Amino acid sequence: MKYIIGNWKSNKNHLEVEDWFQKFSQFFVKEKATSFNNLEIIVCPPYIHLFLTKNLRDKYKLPIKLGAQDISPFDSGAYTGAISAKMLSEFVEYVIIGHSERRTHFGEDDKILSQKVTMAKDASLEPIFCIPDKTSFIPDSISIIGYEPVWAIGTGKTDTPENADGVAVFVKQKNPGSALIYGGSVNPENALNFLTTKHIDGILIGGASLDPIKFWEIIVNASKI
Ligand code: PGA
C-alpha cells in the first residue's frame, strides 16, 4: 500500500476548491475500471475548507481521505485561533505535524510537536510526522513519517530516489513498523521514481497537488505499480 498525500498549504478560495473537486471527480468517473486499492489517497486542505472538502468528497463519492495540515498543541478551550484535535476529528483522519514550514515560520520545536502528536493520538487522528533529515527527533509510536529535505520543498529539486530510499531504511530501523514517505518537488514526471523504490511507502505532494490534473496523473500512475 502506498500513501499519496496532497498538501495544499495556504492556498485556494472556496470557488477554487469546488473547481478542483469538480475536475478531479470527472477523472474518477472516466476511470471507473481502475482500482485504487493499493493506494491511500489523502488530501490536506486548509482548515477553513475542511467542511466544504468533506461535503464535496462525499457528494462525488471519491475514494479519498482527508487530513489537516496542523493541529493545536492544546485541548479545546480558551486558545484563540487554535483548532483542537477534537474539532478536527469531525472532518479528518490524518494530520500533518512538524512540516518544516511550521518549524521555520512558526517556531515549532520538538516539545510542541510532541504535544501535538499526543493531542492527535488522543483523538484517534493519525499523525503524518514530517522531518527535514534522518537524524531529526521523532516521537514514539509514529506510524507515518514524512522525510522532506528543506532544500527540496517547492524548489523543483528532488532528493535522489536512492538517497531517499537510504533515509527510509535508516528511519524505519529506528522506528520499527512505521511507513516512510518522501516529499519535496514531487510531480507526475518523478513520482514513480520514489514510489518504485524498495523502502519508500508513499509521497507527500505540495505544489503539484494544487492542480487536479497533476494530482490525478500521479494517482493513476501509482495505481499501476
Ligand atoms: P512541494 O511541497 O511538493 O511543493 O515541494 C512538498 C511539501 O512541502 O509537502
Side-chain angles (χ1 to χ4, degrees):
M1 213 268 299
K2 301 281 184 192
Y3 291 96
I4 309 289
I5 308 175
N7 174 11
W8 288 357
K9 306 191 179 183
S10 190
N11 290 293
K12 294 195 187 295
N13 62 31
H14 89 269
L15 288 176
E16 289 165 343
V17 173
E18 282 178 354
D19 186 59
W20 190 99
F21 270 90
Q22 208 245 334
K23 290 188 173 130
F24 191 66
S25 64
Q26 282 171 7
F27 297 130
F28 274 98
V29 173
K30 278 192 203 133
E31 291 273 341
K32 257 200 200 104
T34 309
S35 161
F36 302 96
N37 293 341
N38 67 328
L39 304 179
E40 178 81 342
I41 306 166
I42 306 165
V43 174
C44 303
Y47 285 146
I48 55 162
H49 298 316
L50 286 177
F51 182 77
L52 177 62
T53 48
K54 186 169 185 271
N55 284 345
L56 290 169
R57 188 270 313 267
D58 295 346
K59 173 179 155 188
Y60 292 119
K61 299 187 171 56
L62 298 174
I64 65 173
K65 307 268 173 67
L66 297 177
Q69 299 172 15
D70 186 31
I71 187 170
S72 173
F74 305 109
D75 216 334
S76 298
Y79 301 100
T80 300
I83 306 292
S84 71
K86 204 167 160 198
M87 294 156 75
L88 284 178
S89 61
E90 211 181 332
F91 300 100
V92 304
E93 289 171 58
Y94 294 91
V95 56
I96 298 172
I97 296 177
H99 191 282
S100 66
E101 287 152 14
R102 298 296 313 175
R103 295 171 187 260
T104 307
H105 303 303
F106 299 88
E108 296 187 359
D109 58 14
D110 294 346
K111 183 165 173 261
I112 213 146
L113 297 178
S114 297
Q115 274 173 249
K116 290 184 176 206
V117 167
T118 302
M119 285 317 218
K121 290 198 162 248
D122 284 354
S124 300
L125 299 176
E126 191 69 75
I128 301 163
F129 193 83
C130 294
I131 53 168
D133 65 73
K134 65 181 183 182
T135 59
S136 306
F137 164 76
I138 300 171
D140 287 340
S141 61
I142 292 285
S143 305
I144 310 170
I145 299 164
Y147 161 58
E148 297 201 302
V150 175
W151 54 263
I153 296 177
T155 58
K157 293 183 210 137
T158 64
D159 200 346
T160 62
E162 296 73 29
N163 192 57
D165 194 56
V167 171
V169 172
F170 182 89
V171 170
K172 286 170 153 190
Q173 257 162 19
K174 295 200 154 187
N175 300 271
S178 64
L180 189 290
I181 60 178
Y182 169 78
S185 296
V186 175
N187 60 35
E189 285 72 48
N190 61 31
L192 281 189
N193 299 341
F194 296 97
L195 290 171
T196 54
T197 60
K198 197 152 175 227
H199 305 98
I200 296 175
D201 304 296
I203 44 180
L204 189 45
I205 310 151
S209 74
L210 294 171
D211 179 344
I213 301 173
K214 288 185 183 165
F215 195 55
W216 170 258
E217 270 175 43
I218 293 171
I219 289 168
V220 91
N221 289 338
S223 72
K224 292 173 187 152
I225 296 174

